[in-house]
Amino acid sequence: MAVLALARMTFADGLRQPLTWLAAGLGIALIALSYFFGMFNFETQDRLRMLCTAGVAVTVLTSLFLAVVGASISIHDELASRTALTLFAKPVSRGSYLVGKALGIWLVVTLIAGLLALAHGVAVLLAAWTQFEEISPNTGFSNDLWVPWGRLIAAHLLGLAHSAVLTCLAAVLALRLPLIANILTCFAIFILGHLLFGLGWTGATVIPALALFNVDDSLQLVQQTLSWTYCGISFIYASLFCAGTLLLGLATFARQDIP
């Protein structure tokens, strides 16, 4: 199937890019720094809350960077160098090309986000075991320390939905916008998507409601519940927005001349 073949090629190409592993290394370093910064706080529970939210934020921002830059560079370069014309002569439909590229880039993001989530889990586990103190004979897990493991998993999964939305947007915009303009536009949408969530569903159909995937409050407050129903609705919204974005992109791409 053309979509899967293109996705596999894009995924392999993304893993060969030094920028991908540079972003992953930087993300792991930032998670490690978040652990050490937590040692300067007074209350152990507050330190752990900070580490939980910081690790999720680092993963989301790294995913954002890889999704936007990866989609922009991959698609823009192939269109600019006319490599895409070779693919269309296979024949590969433009719809398969767009979906395959977006899927392959998102798989790269998913792999790196998974590595960062694993590093984050190790950091939280270490913090819960040591209470941010030096390892000693008295080191061990405390029953008084609240570790939101289930909510952490949900937060990282919602981060993948967040990155899927931005990957599709970046892929579609890369068909029309120059490289730098596409990257700047996607980062502007990222900011607006978190600031304009108060517009409700009307605004969420134009600018993605990215704040929907932000569950920092549930990581900070015990009484702030996070249900799997909420997560399911968020995943459905992300799927619908991605599908709508790709369909709109295909509608314009089908009539676009590649110089």
Side-chain angles (χ1 to χ4, degrees), residues 9 16 22 26 35 40 43 75 78 98 100-101 103-104 112-113 116 132 135 146 161 168 173 175 179 194 200 222:
M9 291 171 53
R16 286 194 294 266
L22 179 62
L26 180 60
Y35 174 86
F40 296 100
E43 295 293 335
I75 294 178
E78 287 191 359
L98 181 59
K101 297 295 287 185
L103 178 59
I112 301 303
L116 294 181
F132 295 95
I135 297 177
W146 175 63
C168 292
L173 292 175
L175 301 173
L179 179 61
H194 284 276
V222 179

Side-chain angles (χ1 to χ4, degrees), residues 89-190:
K90 292 295 184 180
V92 174
S93 68
R94 296 195 177 196
S96 297
Y97 174 81
L98 181 59
V99 175
K101 297 295 287 185
L103 178 59
I105 293 161
W106 184 69
L107 289 176
V108 173
V109 174
T110 299
L111 176 63
I112 301 303
L115 292 176
L116 294 181
L118 179 61
H120 186 209
V122 171
V124 172
L125 184 65
L126 182 63
W129 182 51
T130 64
Q131 286 85 58
F132 295 95
E133 304 293 342
E134 293 183 0
I135 297 177
S136 68
N138 296 325
T139 297
F141 295 103
S142 172
N143 293 329
D144 297 328
L145 197 61
W146 175 63
V147 184
W149 289 113
R151 301 181 187 188
L152 273 178
I153 294 173
H156 282 290
L157 291 176
L158 287 171
L160 291 178
H162 180 282
S163 65
V165 171
L166 288 167
T167 299
C168 292
L169 278 172
V172 169
L173 292 175
L175 301 173
R176 291 287 184 176
L177 296 180
L179 179 61
I180 300 301
N182 185 23
I183 293 174
L184 293 177
T185 300
C186 289
F187 278 96
I189 291 174
F190 169 77

Side-chain angles (χ1 to χ4, degrees), residues 75 77-90 92 97 253 258:
I75 294 178
D77 284 354
E78 287 191 359
L79 293 179
S81 64
R82 300 174 64 85
T83 305
L85 291 177
T86 305
L87 293 174
F88 298 150
K90 292 295 184 180
V92 174
Y97 174 81
F253 191 35
I258 301 176

